[in-house]
Amino acid sequence: MAAISRRIALQLWTLRDHLKTEDDVARTFARVREIGYEHVQLCGIGPIAPARVKQLADAAGLGICATHEDARQIVEEPRKVADTLSALGCRFTAYPYPHVPLETLDQVYALADDLSRAGEVLRSRGQLLTYHNHAIEFRKLGGKAILDWLYERSDPIMLHGELDTYWVQAGGGDPAGYCARLSGRLPLLHLKDYAVTAENEPITAALGEGNLNFPTILREADAAACEWYIIEQDRCLNDPFDDIATSLRYLKSL
């Protein structure tokens, strides 16, 4: 797939320190658009009403492709989540991190069932729920990673994937292999490079400045019919605006 046909977005968690107030958001959105991004995924924004966030994004010329919503609210109040997505004019959201213990298979199954039910509510509104992984889901229960149990148990129509390349790697998984495994069930992909500091600590890096094999990852994601390629960096050693520009240039070069 040619790079130009990939739909690219920025996960705003990367710029969370620059999104506290409406003025912050307006300035940051304008700068993100100037760097070359046309779409964003919402996360880490201060307490601003969704409709107002949509107005600010529209004013900056940015589309909202997806969000991260509160984990407990997704499970317990999915209709409210659906209302938020409708106000933002976007179809996708992600369950961001387990809000319940996942120490037993019964607990994993219960979460998978809850997410399937929440996904059914969103689907009835033309929306789609995805699961965002960290490394914790690569703990093994019964000889299999928790993430594998979650995808196996959940309804494949109601719950899709938002794989995070860094956290798959951090958990000991194969990012490209997981893209292939979720073929047809991977609308969102978090592109986040994996580097190591001089102190032997893993750290997120701008794309192309770490060790992940993105040409292979992208090939498998393309084949899996991924819809959105979302650049993210949890921690930036450089100015975050410089890093997101570096990542965008690198992704467009592939």
Side-chain angles (χ1 to χ4, degrees):
M1 180 181 292
I4 194 171
S5 66
R6 293 193 182 107
R7 301 168 81 186
I8 298 171
L10 174 68
Q11 165 54 290
L12 288 175
W13 179 250
T14 310
L15 302 176
R16 57 196 177 275
D17 293 335
H18 303 270
L19 296 165
K20 304 298 186 184
T21 68
E22 281 196 22
D23 287 345
D24 289 341
V25 171
R27 283 192 296 269
T28 297
F29 279 5
R31 195 165 177 188
V32 166
R33 185 66 188 88
E34 183 180 3
I35 287 169
Y37 289 89
E38 297 180 4
H39 296 87
V40 292
Q41 180 180 32
L42 300 186
C43 184
I45 293 180
I48 305 170
R52 180 58 179 151
V53 174
K54 177 69 162 61
Q55 289 175 344
L56 293 169
D58 287 347
L62 289 172
I64 301 170
C65 72
T67 74
H68 275 195
E69 300 297 330
D70 179 77
R72 185 176 298 278
Q73 187 175 66
I74 286 174
V75 167
E76 296 181 0
E77 300 178 290
R79 287 175 179 79
K80 286 188 177 180
V81 173
D83 290 342
T84 295
L85 295 181
S86 294
L88 293 168
C90 73
R91 181 183 175 211
F92 299 104
T93 193
Y95 178 86
Y97 193 85
H99 74 293
V100 292
L102 297 179
E103 300 295 333
T104 68
L105 274 179
D106 284 344
Q107 291 172 332
V108 174
Y109 288 164
L111 178 59
D113 292 346
D114 284 344
L115 291 173
S116 294
R117 285 189 287 269
E120 185 173 12
V121 172
L122 266 62
R123 190 174 181 84
S124 73
R125 300 275 293 271
Q127 300 157 354
L128 195 66
L129 177 62
T130 68
Y131 188 96
H132 177 267
N133 67 277
H134 290 79
I136 191 172
E137 291 92 352
F138 288 88
R139 290 177 50 249
K140 285 194 171 182
L141 293 175
K144 189 184 299 186
I146 289 171
L147 190 64
D148 295 336
W149 287 118
L150 282 168
Y151 282 125
E152 181 179 300
R153 172 76 175 197
S154 59
D155 187 321
I157 295 175
M158 304 306 173
L159 183 69
H160 289 234
E162 181 187 65
L163 282 181
D164 184 300
T165 57
Y166 175 91
W167 288 115
V168 173
Q169 181 73 25
D174 171 18
Y178 267 90
C179 288
R181 246 188 249 194
L182 288 175
S183 182
R185 199 179 176 183
L186 183 65
L188 310 178
L189 180 65
H190 273 190
L191 298 175
K192 188 187 303 178
D193 215 339
Y194 187 106
V196 179
T197 68
E199 293 74 34
N200 198 36
E201 296 293 332
I203 191 171
T204 58
L207 301 188
E209 296 191 347
N211 300 308
L212 293 187
N213 185 346
F214 280 108
T216 299
I217 292 169
L218 292 172
R219 183 179 67 241
E220 295 298 342
D222 292 344
C226 181
E227 294 187 45
W228 286 101
Y229 296 78
I230 304 171
I231 291 169
E232 184 185 20
Q233 199 168 337
D234 290 352
R235 177 183 167 199
C236 299
L237 293 179
N238 306 303
D239 182 290
F241 291 97
D242 291 340
D243 277 354
I244 66 172
T246 296
S247 291
L248 184 61
R249 285 193 300 270
Y250 176 78
L251 182 55
K252 285 186 172 182
S253 76
L254 297 178

